[in-house]
Amino acid sequence: MHDAATLLRARETSSTELVRASIERIQALDGPLVAFITRTLDDALADAARADRELASGEDRGPLHGIPVALKDLYDQQGVVTTAGSKIFASNVAREDAAVTARLRSGGAAVVGKTNLHEWAFGVTNQNPHFGAAKNPWDRSRIPGGSSGGSAIAVAAGMCTFRRRSVAWRASSRRTVG
């Protein structure tokens, strides 16, 4: 994440480029990995465009400004369904952001979606009977672990930026997982 922020501020990349790279990774890898329950890609692109305008005008909201992130599907994002990994909440559209979501968004982060989890975050396998079993991106015969398997997959596979390697992965990257 630090490297992505550094590249943004040096004008070596843009938030829009980072989000597009995340979207391309999500579209290429998420199907078999089942990292996401909900994708908010259009909103993330709009947030990235806003971040690019703000950064170009000298407004810097902090280290996450313009960085693509994903939320565990326990955290509300206004106008987006929060399922907690359960069909019971399949039409639970959040009226407002959770505190963590509000902080991320006020810091300029671009939310690309809501990640898969063990139903109600109550388990360790991330074998979700409603939205699919999350798969370890390096060995699909193994579980990604914990109730936050979708989040772990999204980071490990470069679908969102919270580590150095994901910044370098672009649409032209030939690097594959699993």
Side-chain angles (χ1 to χ4, degrees):
M1 189 280 304
H2 173 73
D3 292 334
T6 300
L7 291 172
L8 276 172
R9 277 134 189 99
R11 305 285 192 267
E12 292 179 35
T13 192
S14 68
S15 178
T16 300
E17 289 174 324
L18 291 174
V19 169
R20 282 190 178 137
S22 290
I23 289 170
E24 289 175 12
R25 298 282 301 171
I26 291 166
Q27 291 172 335
L29 300 173
D30 188 41
L33 298 178
V34 197
F36 286 86
I37 290 176
T38 303
R39 299 175 185 180
T40 56
L41 307 180
D42 291 336
D43 290 342
L45 282 169
D47 290 343
R50 181 175 35 260
D52 288 335
R53 287 190 305 274
E54 290 170 352
L55 289 167
S57 71
E59 181 182 349
D60 190 338
R61 297 197 221 172
L64 294 177
H65 198 174
I67 302 297
V69 301
L71 298 171
K72 185 174 183 176
D73 196 21
L74 279 179
Y75 299 104
D76 284 344
Q77 180 178 354
Q78 184 178 14
V80 178
V81 172
T82 300
T83 69
S86 178
K87 283 283 190 188
I88 293 171
F89 298 119
S91 56
N92 177 38
V93 178
R95 293 184 193 149
E96 60 186 26
D97 286 343
V100 68
T101 308
R103 285 184 162 197
L104 285 167
R105 294 175 80 190
S106 71
V111 180
V112 296
K114 309 282 276 309
T115 59
N116 197 352
L117 65 153
H118 202 101
E119 188 173 16
W120 299 306
F122 193 65
V124 297
T125 65
N126 216 132
Q127 303 296 306
N128 188 302
H130 311 294
F131 298 101
K135 305 282 194 277
N136 183 309
W138 309 118
D139 181 348
R140 294 184 192 163
S141 70
R142 296 174 182 251
I143 63 169
S147 72
S148 300
S151 298
I153 294 164
V155 172
M159 296 182 207
C160 61
T161 304
F162 258 121
R163 68 186 213 150
R164 178 178 166 75
R165 245 188 258 181
S166 58
V167 175
W169 288 337
R170 298 281 191 257
S172 62
S173 174
R174 297 193 193 285
R175 189 175 196 312
T176 59
V177 294

